Amino acid sequence: MRGILFIPLAATALALAGGCAREWSGAGRAWEKSVVSIRATRYKYDYSQPWVRETMNTDKVGVVIDGDTILTTADHLADRTLVTVRREGRGKWWPAEVKWIDYHANLALVGSKEAGFWRGLAPARLATTVPESGEVTVRRWRDGRLEDAKGEITDVRSRRSQLSHTHQLALEVKADVDGSGWGEVVTRGNEIVGIAASAYEKSLNAITATFASQVIAAARGGGYRGLGLFTFEWQPGRNPDTLAYLRAPATDSGIVVTRVPEYPEPEKALRPHDVIFEIDGLRVSPEGDYRDPRFGFLSVEFLADRGRWAGDTLPMKIVRGGETMAIDYRLPAASYDVDLVPMESFDRAPEYLIVGGLVFQPLTEPLMRSMGRSAPIRLACYRDDLPTAERPSVVFLSQVLPDPINIDYHDLRFQPLLRVNGRTIRVLKDIVDAVASPMGQVHLFEFTQGLGLNRIVLDAATLPSADGRILKRYGIPSAAQLAP
Amino acid sequence: MLKTARALELAAAIFVPMLGLAAPKPQESVKLDAGDTLPSPGATEPERSVISIITFSQTPVWDAPWRFERVQRSSGSGFVIRGRRIMTNAHVISWGRQILVRRMGDPRLYNARVRFVGHDCDLALLEVGDPNFFEGLEPLEFGELPEERTNVVTYGYPAGGEQLSYTRGVVSRIEMQPYSHIGNRSFLAVQTDSAINPGNSGGPVLRDGKVVGVAFQAITQLENTGFFIPTPIIEHFMKDIEDGKYDGFPELGLFLASMQNPAYRRLLGLSDDARGARIDGLFPIPEVREKLRVDDVILRIGPYDVASDQTIIYQGHRVHAGVATDLAQSGEHMDIAIWRDGHEQTVELPARVFSDDRTEGNQYDVLPRYYVHAGLIFVPLSLDYLKTFGRNWTSVAGPDLIYELKLRHWEDPEHWRPEAVVLAGVLSHAVNANLLTSGRSLVDRINGIRIERLEDAVSAIEGCTNAQHVIEFISGNRFDCLDRAAAAAAHEEILKNYSIPSDRRL
């Protein structure tokens, strides 16, 4: 799940003053020709009224990595309506476009067709090795000056992506930089060593330049399959009694598989209670990490992205039923569909469907996050469930827009939907088909048998006119916003 | 939301020791209207029968159930009724180790004991061993359900004071309200603007010299919003105990829904009037499911016509139809007129006390069950247990625990467990040092046996012949193992180290 400690602060925080040690040298001035500002205008959705959208601006940092390409993080580039770029921290904003983006990798490449923008800019070099410690400089434009704050690498670790379940190698940098985590460029000498992806107080996490290089090279090479993701769930295997129960030799201790997905891709190679003690030739510790030759212990999750891509085959050694065996694990692609409650839904407006004033939505984490602490427990319960072919998503009644057709139901909310007119609802679109076939003179909606109403009906004959009336009365542009 | 009167009492208890040393505060006089009971010193007025109650209580520690919290002193009120008994609130005396009562103006304290208690309706009857206690005290008589806008006077000993207090108010509203002492039941209650403060609990509310209610709870966010238990509920309690035991308020076992949607009325063949409320769901009770169906429309419960907004007219007040059920005693049969398949028909249903959801509410006076083996503490999942997580327990407890406690029964009755069991914690010892879980985990199976009640955990562990105990949890298919022989060998030592007198309370 997405980390909660490292939260990018609002881009407007960039305007806040920060007192930190600064360098100003010839080398620093050279970076003025490489570090650029990016302003993304994007839709911001109101999940309580999914037909309402505003726009918001986010200011980010990018770095020119070749003649016409800027590298930055993917964060806040989703649902964009406009991207502009600015050189040397001042002057006009130039039209730009996202040339490539991968939310799971949290990386994006931005370009501009404006020759004037590029004139005089110089690409910076991505480091080919990961620094393990030492001083770095965190660079961004602020108030027309290139801020270059001294920082120190305090750790190199595998960290879950800001936007995905995938794990990446990240530099943990201690630096006195307010409101960072928006693509600030972490440099050493004349090389980029990282791109800041998140921050917490005086510490930021930067995606390593080597990881960015690998992903960009793969993307440019064609046939990019994306990052992989371990979709099985596991628990540490440090309990010797558990290993004894699983008949795993003490020498083959590792992690214990607890759950494997059925949907969207059924897991074939692994089974619950398998003990995995080696992945891709690396020994897995009972704590759920492995000893990286350079960086020490890193999370085993990173092995899905350590020079591997979705669809690759990873050799694993496991103990199953007391028998040691080698298996080939086909690495699934990182996807938001692996969760019953998807953690993100980028580049598409939130889905909804209004029928007779009943507002139905699929349950997503952005929607849950929008409710904050008031998110209903009933819906939160689904977070622990895996999707299945029978239930690939949770569709629920989020609210009722009061109208004469839905008298008695005005106070209903947060009720998971099971069937409409006898038809099982797997995804939101199923409601459209179900409503096409009323049960006699009514439409019957059935919800999970909880403490709210289990069944409600709407008059079929007057539904079309009611729909029109409701949309007009509540100023809703469309009765539906469905996934393609 | 209602704050529990219990919490109010405990808050007052903080000041009680100091009040015992402080000079009594002068009482403000209350101007009473005609029809109100006039308190006048020295007379045989009703206030002489209002009793101060001091309770020393001790609640169990729900996640370490062999232990108790420290003793709490709290105070409340009560009043003498016929039969030389004192009526008060259940929450005034629950978990009481010692209950003391004092008469108005009498410095002596008398020992009292609980004769009957109804935690669902928050009422209790006390007896006092010393017959001198009742000398000169006239039992108060009960009156009718008061009308809205009429004046009532609340008597009691708020804030732990030693002088009787009177506060006058108006009956503002009469309707079903959640009873916060039990937490998961609603009954008829009367709202008044008469000040009902900590310590008032259990005191009588009088109108025309007769008791029309027992003060019991307030809404903390609102000023001058107090509630009292009206006489229909009190009378039900009194009738219930006539056989020498308290059964509780029965349920019909169904979920009602309003029936005002024209399309739904047409679908079920109902005319376009205001009659009938629809059955939207049924409790998992075989007899109920046999006789009633979803989409049956309840037209009448006993003599009360049920309206389309789920209400009945009771003593001139439009109240929720649940009041009609509450009037029945457990075991009585009720005639229910229903509309089914276009015809009216009558079914007879027994009114039964429904206790399957007892763990969803607050529990009292029965010590919590537990089982400890090799440092693993197993307890039934309950609201009381979850509250050990702190004030924000709803955030701390995982959704799986809350779902199992609050929703599984209704949503997924086939997989519901009569008593879900939690591995509440682990008492550290070398034998369990490598367990992954430290507690607060809902148990699914132990040694392959599905755990439906605490006894299942005991038999699963004690009947195990495998080399390891295997404990499977509901969340995420996680599981943990414990060497059986080593666990058995360490068991007694752990009990001794942690001063646990017995490894079980079943």
Side-chain angles (χ1 to χ4, degrees):
Chain A
M1 301 300 288
R2 190 172 181 171
I4 55 170
L5 289 178
F6 288 80
I7 302 166
L9 301 175
T12 50
L14 290 172
L16 298 173
C20 53
R22 304 285 180 245
E23 67 172 30
W24 188 248
S25 63
R29 283 196 294 275
W31 284 101
E32 288 184 353
K33 300 297 183 187
S34 301
V35 178
V36 299
S37 302
I38 301 171
R39 174 165 291 170
T41 305
R42 58 190 294 257
Y43 288 127
K44 180 185 172 191
Y45 298 104
D46 177 353
Y47 284 88
S48 68
Q49 299 182 87
W51 47 88
V52 173
R53 64 184 183 191
E54 307 171 352
T55 54
M56 63 177 289
N57 287 339
T58 303
D59 285 353
K60 303 182 54 158
V61 183
V63 59
V64 179
I65 56 167
D66 60 27
D68 61 354
T69 304
I70 299 163
L71 172 65
T72 187
T73 59
D75 205 3
H76 275 230
L77 286 178
D79 306 298
R80 60 195 171 272
T81 58
L82 177 67
V83 178
T84 54
V85 289
R86 188 161 72 171
R87 46 179 291 161
E88 297 178 271
R90 59 189 66 220
K92 79 178 266 191
W93 289 93
W94 303 75
E97 69 282 331
V98 172
K99 294 163 43 172
W100 171 89
I101 193 163
D102 185 331
Y103 296 109
H104 294 284
N106 194 13
L107 290 171
L109 298 178
V110 174
S112 173
K113 293 186 174 67
E114 302 286 333
F117 170 75
W118 299 105
R119 199 164 298 130
L121 291 183
R125 195 167 65 232
L126 288 161
T128 53
T129 59
V130 179
E132 296 167 48
S133 60
E135 280 197 357
V136 290
T137 305
V138 182
R139 301 179 190 274
R140 66 180 174 188
W141 285 105
R142 172 178 278 194
D143 301 332
R145 294 172 62 88
L146 186 67
E147 184 182 270
D148 36 19
K150 290 288 184 198
E152 184 178 359
I153 296 171
T154 53
D155 203 358
V156 180
R157 60 170 61 189
S158 158
R159 182 172 287 283
R160 192 173 55 194
S161 166
Q162 193 69 15
L163 308 178
S164 169
H165 292 308
T166 59
H167 278 59
Q168 300 159 5
L169 200 60
L171 304 177
E172 196 172 283
V173 176
K174 188 176 180 185
D176 191 2
V177 186
D178 291 335
S180 62
W182 295 98
E184 290 80 5
V185 186
V186 181
T187 68
R188 171 177 284 178
N190 59 357
E191 287 186 329
I192 305 163
V193 295
I195 304 291
S198 63
Y200 178 69
E201 295 183 344
K202 295 189 185 307
S203 183
L204 64 84
N205 291 295
I207 299 166
T208 62
T210 53
F211 175 78
S213 295
Q214 290 164 14
V215 173
I216 293 166
R220 285 176 167 170
Y224 176 58
R225 299 194 300 271
L227 298 187
L229 177 73
F230 290 151
T231 54
F232 60 87
E233 296 178 8
W234 54 269
Q235 66 181 35
R238 64 168 175 266
N239 184 345
D241 296 340
T242 298
L243 295 175
Y245 166 68
L246 297 173
R247 289 184 284 157
T251 51
D252 292 340
S253 60
I255 57 175
V256 180
V257 177
T258 54
R259 215 160 48 159
V260 296
E262 298 172 31
Y263 185 89
E265 289 296 323
E267 171 56 48
K268 292 173 183 163
L270 289 169
R271 299 178 193 166
H273 291 197
D274 283 348
V275 180
I276 304 173
F277 63 90
E278 191 178 298
I279 299 176
D280 217 4
L282 292 161
R283 191 86 189 173
V284 174
S285 89
E287 297 296 335
D289 49 22
Y290 72 98
R291 187 187 286 276
D292 187 273
R294 281 196 65 204
F295 307 112
F297 285 110
L298 298 177
S299 169
V300 71
E301 297 284 355
F302 179 56
L303 290 174
D305 294 308
R306 186 177 179 270
R308 296 291 194 168
W309 306 104
D312 282 354
T313 298
L314 268 71
M316 290 187 179
K317 288 185 180 169
I318 66 168
V319 176
R320 176 180 296 163
E323 198 176 318
T324 300
M325 57 179 73
I327 63 165
D328 288 331
Y329 176 81
R330 191 169 184 277
L331 189 59
S335 163
Y336 298 118
D337 295 334
V338 299
D339 295 315
L340 181 62
V341 184
M343 72 178 289
E344 298 291 355
S345 57
F346 291 130
D347 293 331
R348 64 186 194 204
E351 286 188 85
Y352 71 88
L353 176 67
I354 302 174
V355 183
L358 313 180
V359 182
F360 296 101
Q361 292 178 257
L363 185 63
T364 64
E365 282 296 339
L367 188 151
M368 291 290 279
R369 288 198 294 269
S370 73
M371 290 189 272
R373 293 173 67 91
S374 62
I377 286 171
R378 177 64 197 94
L379 297 182
C381 291
Y382 288 112
R383 283 173 159 162
D384 193 40
D385 293 350
L386 296 177
T388 62
E390 295 76 31
R391 191 182 63 180
S393 69
V394 177
V395 177
F396 73 106
L397 173 69
S398 59
Q399 61 181 302
V400 176
L401 303 168
D403 182 82
I405 198 173
N406 54 41
I407 276 176
D408 268 354
Y409 318 140
H410 294 169
D411 296 326
L412 295 183
R413 58 207 296 244
F414 304 143
Q415 293 208 219
L417 181 65
L418 288 179
R419 286 177 292 277
V420 175
N421 295 329
R423 185 172 183 147
T424 300
I425 303 302
R426 296 171 66 252
V427 295
L428 190 65
K429 274 191 289 192
D430 291 343
I431 301 177
V432 177
D433 298 332
V435 170
S437 305
M439 298 183 82
Q441 296 180 348
V442 298
H443 295 288
L444 171 65
F445 298 81
E446 296 174 85
F447 302 93
T448 54
Q449 293 186 17
L451 298 175
L453 285 184
N454 297 329
R455 294 158 66 91
I456 62 178
V457 302
L458 295 177
D459 183 51
T462 58
L463 180 62
S465 61
D467 278 340
R469 180 174 65 232
I470 290 166
L471 294 183
K472 188 176 176 188
R473 181 175 297 161
Y474 290 94
I476 299 170
S478 171
Q481 199 158 261
L482 300 171
Chain B
M1 296 296 289
L2 294 170
K3 185 174 178 180
T4 68
R6 176 68 182 166
L8 292 174
E9 297 298 333
L10 294 176
I14 296 169
F15 299 96
V16 167
M18 289 185 288
L19 287 171
L21 299 173
K25 292 179 181 174
Q27 297 297 306
E28 289 185 11
S29 62
V30 175
K31 186 179 178 185
L32 302 173
D33 293 340
D36 291 339
T37 305
L38 290 169
S40 56
T44 55
E45 320 78 3
E47 63 265 31
R48 289 185 61 81
S49 299
V50 181
I51 306 301
S52 170
I53 301 173
I54 299 161
T55 304
F56 295 87
S57 59
Q58 202 175 22
T59 54
V61 178
W62 288 86
D63 55 353
W66 56 91
R67 291 198 285 117
F68 289 89
E69 303 285 1
R70 65 183 178 84
V71 175
Q72 298 265 9
R73 183 187 196 276
S74 59
S75 65
S77 307
F79 56 97
V80 176
I81 64 168
R82 285 186 184 183
R84 298 169 85 82
R85 294 174 294 185
I86 299 169
M87 174 162 278
T88 186
N89 284 140
H91 74 258
V92 170
I93 50 79
S94 55
W95 295 113
R97 294 284 197 189
Q98 185 176 31
I99 300 166
L100 300 173
V101 292
R102 181 159 49 196
R103 303 170 3 147
M104 179 184 172
D106 186 341
R108 289 170 293 178
L109 291 167
Y110 294 79
N111 280 317
R113 72 180 187 95
V114 178
R115 182 71 183 91
F116 295 102
V117 60
H119 289 294
D120 54 354
C121 63
D122 201 0
L123 289 171
L125 284 185
L126 308 183
E127 290 179 338
V128 181
D130 188 338
N132 294 326
F133 177 81
F134 292 100
E135 283 300 315
L137 299 185
E138 291 294 323
L140 298 183
E141 299 295 331
F142 291 104
E144 300 291 321
L145 186 66
E147 296 295 316
E148 282 104 340
R149 296 185 298 279
T150 55
N151 288 335
V152 291
V153 180
T154 303
Y155 291 70
Y157 293 87
E162 295 182 1
Q163 297 292 319
L164 186 66
S165 163
Y166 322 88
T167 55
R168 191 190 64 189
V170 172
V171 171
S172 333
R173 189 155 35 174
I174 300 171
E175 61 184 0
M176 296 273 273
Q177 296 285 353
Y179 273 40
S180 57
H181 175 61
I182 190 79
N184 62 342
R185 289 287 184 277
S186 293
F187 300 112
L188 197 63
V190 179
Q191 181 183 324
T192 174
D193 63 355
S194 172
I196 293 180
N197 291 308
N200 266 122
S201 287
V205 179
L206 275 78
R207 164 84 186 153
D208 293 334
K210 291 189 173 177
V211 175
V212 294
V214 177
F216 79 123
Q217 63 186 25
I219 296 178
T220 53
Q221 290 94 334
L222 300 176
E223 289 186 2
N224 298 330
T225 303
F227 295 90
F228 60 83
I229 302 166
T231 42
I233 303 298
I234 298 169
E235 286 165 3
H236 188 283
F237 172 76
M238 297 299 288
K239 188 175 178 194
D240 187 325
I241 60 176
E242 283 176 1
D243 61 356
K245 64 181 176 59
Y246 180 71
D247 298 311
F249 281 73
E251 299 272 355
L252 272 186
L254 49 88
F255 293 105
L256 271 188
S258 294
M259 197 56 195
Q260 305 196 6
N261 188 282
Y264 221 145
R265 293 192 74 88
R266 278 198 303 277
L267 176 70
L268 300 183
L270 284 167
S271 58
D272 189 17
D273 57 22
R275 293 179 72 213
R278 184 176 61 85
I279 296 178
D280 186 60
L282 297 165
F283 285 25
I285 304 171
E287 189 167 4
V288 172
R289 295 194 166 204
E290 191 181 298
K291 293 190 173 178
L292 293 174
R293 298 181 200 158
V294 168
D295 276 354
D296 283 346
V297 176
I298 305 279
L299 301 175
R300 208 160 40 255
I301 301 175
Y304 299 100
D305 288 333
V306 177
S308 58
D309 63 349
Q310 311 171 56
T311 61
I312 60 169
I313 303 258
Y314 175 69
Q315 295 191 15
H317 305 279
R318 187 163 284 285
V319 294
H320 191 270
V323 171
T325 313
D326 295 338
L327 297 172
Q329 292 290 336
S330 180
E332 287 180 2
H333 281 71
M334 303 189 73
D335 285 337
I336 314 289
I338 61 169
W339 181 265
R340 178 188 294 172
D341 300 332
H343 301 286
E344 183 174 336
Q345 52 187 284
T346 301
V347 296
E348 191 185 68
L349 268 186
R352 293 251 168 84
V353 175
F354 184 72
S355 59
D356 284 357
D357 63 345
R358 71 188 184 289
T359 53
E360 294 178 34
N362 302 306
Q363 299 178 85
Y364 300 96
D365 297 338
V366 176
L367 293 176
R369 290 148 52 79
Y370 71 89
Y371 174 59
V372 177
H373 184 74
L376 278 62
I377 307 166
F378 297 98
V379 302
L381 175 64
S382 67
L383 178 66
D384 294 291
Y385 166 69
L386 291 184
K387 287 193 295 189
T388 64
F389 295 7
R391 293 183 69 175
N392 61 339
W393 62 268
T394 52
S395 305
V396 177
D400 59 326
L401 288 173
I402 296 175
Y403 179 83
E404 197 69 29
L405 181 68
K406 295 279 188 184
L407 296 167
R408 173 85 68 190
H409 198 184
W410 313 110
E411 286 198 18
D412 186 16
E414 287 176 13
H415 296 102
W416 175 72
R417 300 162 202 253
E419 184 182 66
V421 170
V422 183
L423 175 58
V426 177
L427 302 166
S428 296
H429 183 275
V431 76
N432 56 40
N434 286 300
L435 288 177
L436 296 181
T437 181
S438 56
R440 298 185 175 183
S441 298
L442 194 57
V443 177
D444 183 17
R445 292 171 182 273
I446 297 177
N447 297 327
I449 296 171
R450 181 180 154 89
I451 304 303
E452 302 213 334
R453 50 182 60 78
L454 194 60
E455 283 77 3
D456 294 338
V458 178
S459 57
I461 285 177
E462 297 186 348
C464 177
T465 55
N466 298 328
Q468 293 86 24
H469 294 299
V470 182
I471 303 153
E472 297 173 71
F473 305 103
I474 285 181
S475 180
N477 276 16
R478 292 178 300 109
F479 68 105
D480 237 331
C481 297
L482 193 63
D483 184 90
R484 181 173 62 85
H491 179 65
E492 288 300 327
E493 182 188 343
I494 292 172
L495 294 180
K496 188 178 171 189
N497 286 351
Y498 290 89
S499 303
I500 302 173
S502 170
D503 67 359
R504 69 196 72 191
R505 185 189 293 132
L506 300 174

